[in-house]
Amino acid sequence: MKLRILLLSLLVILFFFLNLFFGSVHIAPSDVLHALTHAVNNADSISYIIVGSRLPNAITATLAGAGLATSGLLLQTSFHNPLAGPSILGISSGANLGVAIVMLAFGGGVTTGLYSWGGYFTIVGAAFIGSLLIMALLLLFSSLLKDNLMLLITGIMMGYITSSVISLLNFLASVENIQSFLIWGMGNFNGVSLQQMPIFATLCILGLILSLLLIKPLNAILLGDNYASNLGINLRRTRNLLLLATGLLTAVITAYCGPVAFIGLATPHVAFLLLGTNNHRYLLPVTMLAGSFIALLCNLLCTLPAVTVIPLNAVTPILGAPVIIYIIMRHKH
């Protein structure tokens, strides 16, 4: 088991560097190494591409993949549902709604009186606020509902409500605004610059650390809620911490990267197939590593055509959908 974890860690490191050496623009390996080992020169196009674009891109993919995969595992364990994912509770839909309001209703900017906000930061802020509002509602419902199934259904219903509002905004919006919103919805790991990386990385790492602190109660929940309660696990407190961890990770990643599909849903099953155990002491770290590896692989595939960058959500279903089909067929028997 330790050997598999070591091999997966090495694969993550290998693909991290492959993301630095390969991209839509061909750059000689010696130039890549020179850019990484010398001071950044904004006037140098190679230095800008490697350090200003590919490096934050690779770091973003590493953290986002780990965060989405972790969120998927936490939700699948908590709700005893192998097809639960980060988007199932409506948190991603909240981000979509926030961005839809800014892009579709206000054309990418918000003006109130003497003040005007526009551009990329407005979109990120709207996505983050939308996600946090849904997460706040889920925490409120979590304090009122004792049944995990009822909370799951509530999250799905909130997702339907936000989707309806987005459909209405799409119907009323201009063609240009609709196109901008569709491009954002395709997902990408290019949205975090080196200047923004400290905030993005800090929030992602906080969510991952909080998830690691839930290993013991998650292992108890695997044996059933009643058994977990008999072991002294506070189910409501655990559920709130789980919602906080998944909500934080999903909100941050969706705000910066858009709604990334399938990584959170499929990766926990890949990790389980690699390990063959549900023990979260091993499963959770391997899920994080597998999520980073898959995200780095998808990011590399998006940039390989050397003509343009393919949207992320055009690649993730190709890798994720076969895994889900396999899981469904496996549970059939």
Side-chain angles (χ1 to χ4, degrees), residues 13-24:
I13 295 172
L14 172 63
F15 272 78
F16 182 90
F17 282 101
L18 286 176
N19 273 263
L20 300 181
F21 281 86
F22 294 94
S24 56

Side-chain angles (χ1 to χ4, degrees), residues 110-312:
V110 179
T111 302
T112 54
L114 299 175
Y115 298 97
S116 178
W117 298 272
Y120 179 74
F121 287 105
T122 305
I123 294 170
V124 171
F128 194 66
I129 292 171
S131 297
L132 290 181
L133 287 175
I134 296 296
M135 188 173 71
L137 286 173
L138 286 172
L139 288 170
L140 173 63
F141 286 125
S142 178
S143 64
L144 300 174
L145 300 171
K146 295 182 179 180
D147 190 354
N148 272 348
L149 179 60
M150 294 298 104
L151 182 63
L152 181 65
I153 294 172
T154 302
I156 293 172
M157 291 304 105
M158 285 196 291
Y160 278 125
I161 292 171
T162 56
S163 295
S164 296
V165 177
I166 292 172
S167 297
L168 181 61
L169 290 172
N170 266 309
F171 179 76
L172 298 173
S174 66
V175 175
E176 293 80 7
N177 292 343
I178 292 173
Q179 185 178 12
S180 299
F181 180 68
L182 288 176
I183 291 173
W184 176 83
M186 292 177 180
N188 68 85
F189 292 134
N190 300 317
V192 186
S193 65
L194 280 179
Q195 291 72 29
Q196 299 163 354
M197 186 58 68
I199 298 175
F200 177 79
T202 300
L203 293 174
C204 285
I205 291 171
L206 282 175
L208 293 174
I209 292 173
L210 181 56
S211 302
L212 290 170
L213 296 176
L214 295 171
I215 286 177
K216 183 178 178 181
L218 286 171
N219 278 336
I221 289 173
L222 282 175
L223 302 173
D225 290 349
N226 291 334
Y227 187 84
S229 296
N230 292 333
L231 290 177
I233 302 296
N234 187 325
L235 292 178
R236 179 164 291 183
R237 178 174 173 271
T238 299
R239 186 171 61 177
N240 287 339
L241 288 174
L242 183 145
L243 286 174
L244 185 62
T246 56
L248 177 62
L249 289 169
T250 305
V252 172
I253 295 167
T254 305
Y256 280 94
C257 306
V260 181
F262 278 102
I263 291 180
L265 185 60
T267 306
H269 300 293
V270 174
F272 175 76
L273 292 173
L274 287 173
L275 290 179
T277 177
N278 277 325
N279 187 345
H280 284 69
R281 181 182 175 186
Y282 303 104
L283 185 60
L284 185 53
V286 169
T287 299
M288 292 180 183
L289 289 171
S292 295
F293 167 70
I294 291 173
L296 288 167
L297 173 60
C298 290
N299 191 57
L300 188 62
L301 292 174
C302 287
T303 58
L304 279 184
V307 177
T308 185
V309 178
I310 298 174
L312 185 61

Side-chain angles (χ1 to χ4, degrees), residues 96-117:
N96 291 347
L97 179 59
V99 174
I101 291 173
V102 171
M103 284 189 171
L104 299 177
F106 295 99
V110 179
T111 302
T112 54
L114 299 175
Y115 298 97
S116 178
W117 298 272

